[in-house]
Amino acid sequence: MISNPIIFTSLIFIPIITGFVGCIFPKVFYKIGFGILFFYSILSLVGYLNGFEYTYHLINKDGIPLSFDNYSLPLIFGSSVVIMITFILKSKNFSHYFYQICLVLFSALSISFISKDLVSLYIALELTGFCAFLLVADRNDSRALFNSFQYLIGGGLAMLIYLIGVIQAFTYTGTFILNDLINAPATSLCLISAGLLTKAGIFICGVWVPNIYSDSNTQSTAILSGCVTCAAVAPLSRMSVILAPIGNSLIIIGILSSIFGAIFALIENDDGRTLGWSSVSQLGIAMLSPTYGCLYAMQHGICKSILFLTLNKNQTETNIYSNNLNNLEINNQDIDELIRIFAFIIAGLSISGFPFLSGYITKLLVKSDLPNEALIIFNSSALLTSGVYVKLIISRLNNIKIKYLLRKVSNFLRLNLFNVLSSKNITLILVSFSVFGFSFIQSKYFSLEKIQMSFITLLLGFVFYLSFMGIKSNPSVSNLRKTIDIIGAPFVVAALLLANLTYLKIL
Amino acid sequence: MNISLDLSTNTILLIPCVILFIIGCFGLLNSKTIFNALFSLDVIDTATISTFVIIAAFPGSQTPIIGYERYSSYADPYPQAIILTAIVIGFATQALLSAIALRLSRKFPLLRFKDLENDK
């Protein structure tokens, strides 16, 4: 394939230029931007499947090292797909400069995925943070503005902690390159990891995640959950590959995060906040395995964005939630709603690891990379996760009588099939089937034992949910709404990491 | 990996920065209004920047020009060049936060967190 530094560098900057020019000519560049995203997704998918790897230095030998490899390519694919899905499904609700911000965000994300230099990473993460801030503030009411304020303060503090770690590493190594961190002292590594963990929203650093997700627009939430939290996953994976002690400590943080997030998701009342806590838990699982973490984060991002986009009921009137179904007339809007429900269920099952879906494969890949001590906790977190998604799917299917409905729908479809095929429906169906199809690429992971195990996990999750269904947090007591209360969380996590590195030495 | 404290001149130079950082964090954690949080973040920003500048000046504080007799102990230009970016980013963050504070002050003139949380 191509191996020219100039082409790759210009590839990074094409979306950001399109975004800025698109502010002047909005209508023309919307289509061009969409085409660019499509091109990138194809390119990164082909590159990943062929095992493409290319590392180069910007400007000359001592320049900034950038690398396209199996850490960055899946994440680039995932974020471009997430932004494309959002463009198709929600383009009518976009406000003035929405898609331009998304394109700028895409460039910033790809820089943070590919760069192996600490300062470029800092700049890319700050740019990502600004774009995410603009997306959150898009709803423009006081609550969304307050949330975006908290996000910016928290992100800014995290990045300053990261900078302190970087300068301490610099005094020992003399460079800002990620691979030279081997000579850096333990404190600097802890500070750098704490900053990155806050950006990824893991463990107690990630309490901003559910607050932000519940109080912003659907399209912003989909993009935030799909790509922005993945921004720090690639550098963390790279770090834990080259530094064994940090890798081991991150396994502990990841396990704690997966359990903590899933328990909070189970006792939450609001569906949006439940998905937010589940995101904390899933990214914790992505931390467990440095080799497959990026793949896991990609799968989780795509499924989570579909879940957010199809979570709420359609704004237009649909009849399928009504009680008397005997004299019900099915029309196009009802079919739309049913397709949305179908996509929701597929995405939810995929995250909880149902066999023959892509989440099953990524879960097995992560599992194969774990030490034996961590396996039992990983399984219990998978159980909790399936409990969470059973809860979500049941609450989504509430008020629907499937048996009557299926008969009516099949009658309707026999008469007029082609009226249903709008671009939104086609996208949702395609995405759901590609979630199926992706799992068949690696067929060696399908053994009877493993399939049984994941079925049983899901069944146990169902039983678990049924037995604890009554436990819900009291709605009158306000749960942690103010992110700024735990703005010191990066310090706590850094202290935990340092304690583990120097004294405890678990794992 | 053990942490040892050696009080050389360089370490003593960094102590004010650390104190400034702690003051900023304390202010951020105890802030009651949006403005306090905003200013505390600025204090932490300043602490970080001065840490970079002081560490860059460990070898000496002269201009990094090679070839003259009088320039023998020069400062490291690399972190100083890097921190310029961080200064600009910090300034941009402050600008965005001030804009948000301005918007919020129309509805909540006192900008207290207590009022903003209970808003429904």
Side-chain angles (χ1 to χ4, degrees):
Chain A
M1 278 174 84
I2 31 171
S3 54
N4 187 351
I6 297 170
I7 292 178
F8 278 108
T9 314
S10 55
L11 271 182
I12 301 166
F13 285 102
I14 285 173
I16 210 166
I17 293 167
T18 320
F20 282 129
V21 180
C23 295
I24 309 169
F25 307 107
K27 281 198 174 158
V28 187
F29 276 82
Y30 177 72
K31 281 163 192 162
I32 295 177
F34 187 81
I36 285 172
L37 286 175
F38 187 70
F39 174 69
Y40 275 60
S41 65
I42 299 279
L43 211 63
S44 50
L45 184 64
V46 170
Y48 178 70
L49 292 180
N50 293 330
F52 177 69
E53 243 177 68
Y54 182 60
T55 308
Y56 69 98
H57 292 265
L58 206 64
I59 300 172
N60 58 26
K61 265 189 180 173
D62 302 322
I64 296 161
L66 302 173
S67 116
F68 292 85
D69 48 11
N70 54 359
Y71 297 108
S72 50
L73 287 175
L75 287 172
I76 292 177
F77 172 71
S79 41
S80 57
V81 165
V82 165
I83 297 177
M84 273 199 306
I85 295 174
T86 318
F87 274 16
I88 296 172
L89 291 183
K90 287 279 170 187
S91 59
K92 277 181 189 166
N93 306 3
F94 279 4
S95 57
H96 220 57
Y97 292 121
F98 194 89
Y99 86 86
Q100 289 93 333
I101 297 171
C102 292
L103 287 172
V104 175
L105 174 71
F106 181 70
S107 262
L109 281 171
S110 39
I111 296 172
S112 70
F113 297 150
I114 64 175
S115 79
K116 285 167 114 177
D117 176 80
L118 292 171
V119 174
S120 316
L121 188 63
Y122 164 71
I123 294 162
L125 285 177
E126 281 285 7
L127 185 53
T128 315
F130 285 154
C131 293
F133 160 82
L134 289 175
L135 291 181
V136 178
D138 189 48
R139 204 169 73 170
N140 217 352
D141 60 352
S142 61
R143 196 157 185 84
L145 286 178
F146 183 46
N147 271 321
S148 59
F149 179 87
Q150 293 176 9
Y151 176 76
L152 206 56
I153 289 247
L157 181 62
M159 289 330 281
L160 290 175
I161 292 169
Y162 171 86
L163 267 188
I164 294 277
V166 167
I167 190 62
Q168 204 199 354
F170 177 78
T171 54
Y172 285 82
T173 59
T175 56
F176 286 118
I177 294 170
L178 196 82
N179 288 359
D180 290 345
L181 279 181
I182 303 171
N183 305 321
T187 38
S188 72
L189 294 179
C190 295
L191 289 173
I192 290 176
S193 321
L196 291 177
L197 284 172
T198 312
K199 275 283 166 185
I202 292 167
F203 198 36
I204 45 175
C205 307
V207 179
W208 60 268
V209 171
N211 288 331
I212 299 276
Y213 285 5
S214 59
D215 285 322
S216 52
N217 280 336
T218 319
Q219 58 267 33
S220 315
T221 316
I223 289 175
L224 284 174
S225 62
C227 3
V228 174
T229 43
C230 296
V233 171
L236 277 171
S237 305
R238 285 183 211 273
M239 266 176 75
S240 41
V241 168
I242 54 169
L243 303 161
I246 276 288
N248 290 341
S249 310
L250 281 182
I251 286 183
I252 299 169
I253 294 281
I255 283 176
L256 285 178
S257 168
S258 61
I259 298 281
F260 167 84
I263 289 176
F264 268 90
L266 269 177
I267 59 173
E268 194 69 55
N269 291 322
D270 181 29
D271 279 351
R273 287 179 65 86
T274 308
L275 280 176
W277 282 117
S278 152
S279 197
V280 173
S281 143
Q282 295 297 308
L283 280 168
I285 293 177
M287 279 299 88
L288 298 179
S289 142
T291 16
Y292 301 112
C294 296
L295 206 62
Y296 194 89
M298 183 269 282
Q299 178 263 336
H300 162 254
I302 293 177
C303 291
K304 193 47 78 61
S305 66
I306 296 173
L307 282 172
F308 269 115
L309 285 171
T310 56
L311 174 67
N312 294 319
K313 291 169 184 169
N314 225 345
Q315 286 91 354
T316 49
E317 281 282 313
T318 50
N319 302 322
I320 56 172
Y321 296 108
S322 62
N323 280 325
N324 52 342
L325 283 160
N326 287 329
N327 36 12
L328 173 73
E329 297 261 326
I330 295 276
N331 52 19
N332 279 346
Q333 285 155 7
D334 300 340
I335 302 284
D336 290 357
E337 185 66 21
L338 282 177
I339 289 173
R340 283 160 58 89
I341 291 173
F342 174 72
F344 183 86
I345 291 173
I346 292 289
L349 286 179
S350 171
I351 289 188
S352 56
F354 192 73
F356 309 109
L357 294 174
S358 59
Y360 170 75
I361 299 285
T362 47
K363 230 171 204 156
L364 280 183
L365 285 173
V366 168
K367 214 172 176 179
S368 65
D369 214 35
L370 272 181
N372 273 328
E373 296 92 335
L375 264 182
I376 184 161
I377 312 181
F378 177 78
N379 285 339
S380 54
S381 91
L383 179 69
L384 286 173
T385 309
S386 54
V388 171
Y389 283 94
V390 165
K391 173 189 167 190
L392 278 171
I393 288 172
I394 286 179
S395 84
R396 184 77 172 90
L397 285 180
N398 205 2
N399 294 332
I400 296 180
K401 298 192 175 66
I402 300 168
K403 210 168 149 189
Y404 290 106
L405 212 59
L406 278 181
R407 203 183 307 151
K408 300 245 174 188
V409 167
S410 61
N411 281 336
F412 179 77
L413 281 183
R414 209 177 298 148
L415 293 175
N416 37 9
L417 179 65
F418 290 100
N419 296 340
V420 177
L421 297 176
S422 65
S423 63
K424 288 181 185 178
N425 293 344
I426 294 177
T427 318
L428 277 179
I429 292 174
L430 261 184
V431 169
S432 326
F433 279 107
S434 57
V435 169
F436 269 113
F438 191 75
S439 70
F440 289 105
I441 295 174
Q442 286 172 323
S443 53
K444 61 180 172 179
Y445 288 100
F446 287 106
S447 71
L448 192 64
E449 191 188 352
K450 285 171 181 168
I451 291 176
Q452 253 176 12
M453 213 158 87
S454 69
F455 260 123
I456 289 172
T457 311
L458 208 67
L459 270 180
L460 280 179
F462 186 62
V463 174
F464 189 78
Y465 171 67
L466 284 185
S467 49
F468 293 99
M469 206 160 53
I471 299 179
K472 272 179 185 168
S473 59
N474 192 354
S476 62
V477 179
S478 75
N479 38 15
L480 210 61
R481 298 270 181 206
K482 199 172 103 179
T483 319
I484 219 155
D485 274 342
I486 45 157
I487 207 160
F491 293 108
V492 178
V493 171
L496 277 177
L497 277 172
L498 190 63
N500 188 33
L501 279 180
T502 48
Y503 301 112
L504 303 174
K505 297 202 168 97
I506 306 171
L507 284 179
Chain B
M1 290 187 185
N2 57 338
I3 308 156
S4 55
L5 267 179
D6 51 335
L7 283 176
S8 58
T9 331
N10 291 342
T11 325
I12 292 170
L13 273 176
L14 280 176
I15 287 176
C17 292
V18 175
I19 292 174
L20 201 59
F21 198 90
I22 292 171
I23 290 173
C25 290
F26 189 77
L28 199 54
L29 289 173
N30 285 313
S31 53
K32 297 271 189 298
T33 68
I34 275 187
F35 261 111
N36 287 358
L38 207 151
F39 290 137
S40 309
L41 193 72
D42 208 17
V43 169
I44 301 174
D45 211 359
T46 313
T48 315
I49 291 164
S50 31
T51 313
F52 261 73
V53 172
I54 287 173
I55 284 181
F58 275 174
S61 51
Q62 284 175 329
T63 338
I65 300 171
I66 305 171
Y68 292 99
E69 282 282 313
R70 59 199 174 94
Y71 294 122
S72 53
S73 60
Y74 39 77
D76 190 352
Y78 195 21
Q80 289 184 346
I82 292 290
I83 202 60
L84 270 181
T85 328
I87 293 171
V88 174
I89 289 177
F91 176 69
T93 315
Q94 290 295 321
L96 278 174
L97 288 176
S98 312
I100 289 287
L102 193 65
R103 272 300 305 275
L104 284 175
S105 68
R106 289 181 195 164
K107 199 174 173 188
F108 307 98
L110 288 179
L111 289 174
R112 284 183 305 195
F113 285 138
K114 205 167 63 185
D115 302 338
L116 284 160
E117 279 164 62
N118 300 329
D119 162 48
K120 199 65 195 168

